[in-house]
Amino acid sequence: MTDPGTARGAHAWDRSIRLWDLYFAIAWAATLAFVLGAAYPGWRVRAVAAVLLVPLVPWYLAVGRALLQEDPPDERRALRYLAGAIALFLPSAVLVGETRLIAFALIPQCFMTLRRHWALVAVTLINLVPVVGWALLWHPSAKDLFSNSLFAVVTFVFSVVIGSWIIRIIEQSSERAELIAELDASRHEISRLSAAHGALAERERLSREIHDTLAQGFTSLLMLVQAVEAELEDDVPQARRHLALMTETARQNLAEARALVAGGAPADLDGASLPDALRRLAARHDAVVDVTGAVRALPAGPEVVALRSCQEALANARKHAGSSASVAIALAYAADALTLSVRDDGCGFDPAAPGGGYGLTGLRARAAEVGGTTEVRSAPGEGTTVTVRLPVPPALPLLGSTS
């Protein structure tokens, strides 16, 4: 449903009600001048007709003006207003024919405040009754009667035409007001949905970041704690080595947490190249790294995706392939692509099996964000290879080649 204030603002006359006031004042003053200056009938009759016109002004100001600004106007009030205006108009119009000039101020109000059928009834009374009453009162000549009747018919037809135009303008204004209200509501809904979508996307991004960093770090800490408990009695040097690794992992988790809060680059990439970050990551997981191609600076997006994908693949390898499985990381720089592969020789799995896990959904979603793809090859007893291919800009000046 259209808000009344919105709808009113859609009508041209609501923004220029003073123009209607001016129009009514001019029509009333001109009618009064014509009545007082008429040659027939006598001045006393003309004075009475003029006096009857005076109440039209306060009646319009007190009731009619407010009706013109309502949307829609109250029909009962409109009928009372126009009935009063017509009652004041008709006696004067019957007495002096020049009074009919003010009909041009009353007729638009009929169509602006009433429904079509009531407006036509009011317009008929305004145009035809004065001529009939005038003819019965004054018994004019046939020539005068014909000219006045013809004038009444012409003004009636004009009233219907202009009234139909006014009604059409009102309908179009109402339709436009409704459309504006709907568009405004749609804009607010789109804004709300966009904000909700943005919040959901940010939540998903943070979930992936936490899963790929903090959660995996805590998982590594738990595994290291279990290893230390088993080694304390039989292999103290190895237990100390694992304790040192626990300390490094905790520090790394703290750095990642700070990076997440600050919204900066991953801790491993802070001030380091992608190959160096992968080597540090591999050292914490007893993996080996092989880098091929011309190493070069890349935008942050592909490098972050490559690092996070490697973290996820390593965590899955340790979780599902077992700590005894060997893991190899391969990073290949090409002219327009960056390829990361993480392979383990663990027990493998069936990628097509329901609930395969291994964070495949997160891996694919992260790669897709930068236009890349993720491929997983595995089979029971044959290990697993996760390959992420990311598009990158054409090669920049070489920084060197590492193998």
Side-chain angles (χ1 to χ4, degrees):
M1 186 173 180
T2 305
D3 180 77
T6 304
R8 282 200 302 273
H11 295 305
W13 56 78
D14 293 328
R15 301 194 190 97
S16 54
I17 188 64
R18 292 183 180 179
L19 292 178
W20 284 101
D21 295 343
L22 179 63
Y23 173 71
F24 183 88
I26 292 174
W28 181 85
T31 302
L32 191 65
F34 273 101
V35 168
L36 294 175
Y40 181 86
W43 69 268
R44 292 181 179 178
V45 175
R46 286 183 277 118
V48 171
V51 170
L52 291 174
L53 289 175
V54 173
L56 278 174
V57 175
W59 185 242
Y60 166 78
L61 293 176
V63 184
R65 192 174 189 271
L67 280 170
L68 296 182
Q69 298 180 81
E70 291 181 4
D71 180 35
D74 182 84
E75 192 167 55
R76 291 185 178 181
R77 289 180 58 222
L79 285 172
R80 287 196 297 268
Y81 163 69
L82 289 171
I86 293 173
L88 293 171
F89 161 76
L90 287 180
S92 180
V94 169
L95 290 174
V96 181
E98 283 78 2
T99 306
R100 299 169 209 158
L101 180 62
I102 204 171
F104 288 99
L106 296 178
I107 288 170
Q109 297 181 43
C110 297
F111 289 100
M112 291 165 62
T113 58
L114 297 175
R115 284 184 290 182
R116 187 186 296 269
H117 65 280
W118 283 116
L120 291 176
V121 170
V123 167
T124 301
L125 292 174
I126 291 172
N127 282 285
L128 302 183
V129 171
V131 176
V132 174
W134 173 79
L136 294 175
L137 178 64
W138 299 110
H139 304 288
S141 64
K143 180 180 178 182
D144 289 340
L145 180 61
F146 174 77
S147 61
N148 277 269
S149 299
L150 182 61
F151 179 79
V153 171
V154 171
T155 55
F156 175 75
V157 173
F158 172 79
S159 301
V160 172
V161 172
I162 197 68
S164 299
W165 177 77
I166 290 174
I167 289 175
R168 182 57 186 154
I169 291 298
I170 293 174
E171 291 174 348
Q172 289 180 344
S173 297
S174 298
E175 292 170 359
R176 185 177 63 180
E178 291 177 1
L179 179 60
I180 290 173
E182 291 175 1
L183 290 175
D184 190 53
S186 298
R187 185 170 64 251
H188 286 298
E189 180 65 11
I190 290 172
S191 177
R192 185 188 68 80
L193 292 175
S194 178
H197 177 73
L200 180 61
E202 180 64 12
R203 189 181 301 119
E204 291 178 351
R205 186 189 71 82
L206 286 175
S207 297
R208 286 199 302 269
E209 293 290 333
I210 292 172
H211 176 268
D212 293 346
T213 56
L214 303 182
Q216 292 177 5
F218 291 133
T219 301
S220 297
L221 286 173
L222 289 175
M223 295 174 63
L224 289 170
V225 167
Q226 293 172 358
V228 169
E229 288 178 345
E231 295 162 351
L232 279 176
E233 295 182 0
D234 302 327
D235 193 347
V236 175
Q238 182 69 3
R240 288 177 177 171
R241 177 177 173 275
H242 282 153
L243 284 172
L245 190 55
M246 287 172 62
T247 301
E248 177 62 24
T249 302
R251 287 175 179 167
Q252 186 66 25
N253 254 25
L254 180 59
E256 291 288 1
R258 288 171 176 168
L260 284 176
V261 172
D268 281 321
L269 281 175
D270 189 15
S273 66
L274 178 60
D276 291 338
L278 293 181
R279 290 190 183 98
R280 286 202 295 265
L281 180 62
R284 296 196 295 269
H285 290 267
D286 294 325
V288 295
V289 179
D290 179 52
V291 181
T292 59
V295 177
R296 64 182 188 275
L298 296 175
E303 289 194 339
V304 171
V305 170
L307 178 62
R308 295 303 192 208
S309 299
C310 187
Q311 288 174 322
E312 173 67 17
L314 288 173
N316 284 331
R318 285 291 173 256
K319 180 179 178 181
H320 299 283
S323 58
S324 61
S326 60
V327 181
I329 302 171
L331 181 67
Y333 285 84
D336 57 355
L338 179 68
T339 303
L340 171 76
S341 295
V342 180
R343 172 174 173 74
D344 67 71
D345 58 3
C347 58
F349 72 106
D350 181 5
Y358 279 74
L360 299 184
T361 302
L363 279 171
R364 292 192 175 100
R366 188 182 288 279
E369 286 180 353
V370 294
T373 60
T374 299
E375 180 184 3
V376 179
R377 292 184 179 180
S378 184
E382 297 183 9
T384 302
T385 301
V386 176
T387 303
V388 178
R389 294 182 178 86
L390 306 173
V392 296
L396 298 174
L398 297 179
L399 298 178
S401 180
T402 308
S403 58

